[in-house]
Amino acid sequence: MKQQVWVLSADIHKARLFAAATPHSKQIEEIKTFLQPDTALPERELVSDTVGNFYRSAKIPRTSPKEKRIEEFARNVTEFLETAHKQGEFYKLGIVAAPHMLGELRSRFSPDLCKDLCFEIDKNITQLGASELRQHLPERLAPSANL
């Protein structure tokens, strides 16, 4: 059984995936980056100008275009993690994410992946490098695999 622990650092624009060789590793290394640049655009740039104002009584969409892109980004990251988890690529997963993104991710995790979450930190620190990020994580990333 692999003892590798993955740590996801995410916000609504970017997600970075790090790996630690063992649950008590003092170093982590970045293994993948996910980007969703559209979520950084102002709302007005995500909607078409061609719709016009045909009906004043038309319903306004419940989900904004920006929110839809955030949901799509969370879905893409989650699908990657779920596939890797099913293939046994990591033993445990820790998440450090901006509060909104943490909620989006958490709502999409399968029960199996939820069982292997070892910590959640609601903080936006995606801009930090691996060594700085490691300082914000628990000393022991996860319980040992043989417990």
Side-chain angles (χ1 to χ4, degrees):
M1 170 185 255
K2 277 193 174 183
Q3 284 202 26
Q4 195 173 59
V5 176
W6 282 8
V7 176
L8 180 70
S9 176
D11 62 23
I12 62 172
H13 314 293
K14 182 178 183 179
R16 298 169 65 201
L17 191 58
F18 297 85
T22 64
H24 54 280
S25 292
K26 298 293 181 203
Q27 294 185 350
I28 58 175
E29 65 175 293
E30 187 168 353
I31 58 172
K32 187 160 180 66
T33 301
F34 303 85
L35 295 173
Q36 177 66 306
D38 286 354
T39 58
L41 295 172
E43 187 79 34
R44 67 183 178 277
E45 293 192 25
L46 296 175
V47 295
S48 172
D49 291 340
T50 60
V51 174
N53 194 7
F54 297 119
Y55 300 102
R56 292 197 186 274
S57 63
K59 290 186 178 180
I60 297 172
R62 292 179 190 252
T63 306
S64 71
K66 186 171 187 170
E67 189 62 33
K68 284 183 181 180
R69 285 180 173 80
I70 293 168
E71 291 170 0
E72 176 185 316
F73 184 49
R75 187 172 36 257
N76 291 340
V77 172
T78 300
E79 286 172 2
F80 177 85
L81 292 172
E82 291 285 352
T83 300
H85 184 251
K86 287 176 185 163
Q87 293 172 349
E89 292 186 37
F90 62 93
Y91 157 64
K92 292 286 184 183
L93 174 67
I95 301 175
V96 182
H100 183 82
M101 189 62 171
L102 181 60
E104 291 292 335
L105 292 166
R106 192 187 289 143
S107 71
R108 288 169 173 76
F109 287 162
S110 69
D112 283 342
L113 185 56
C114 285
K115 282 191 277 185
D116 285 332
L117 286 177
C118 51
F119 62 85
E120 293 179 353
I121 301 171
D122 62 344
K123 193 181 277 191
N124 185 1
I125 51 178
T126 55
Q127 74 283 1
L128 297 182
S131 60
E132 293 104 350
L133 175 62
R134 183 63 182 97
Q135 294 172 13
H136 290 269
L137 304 178
E139 186 174 329
R140 186 169 192 77
L141 295 173
S144 296
N146 56 6
L147 290 180

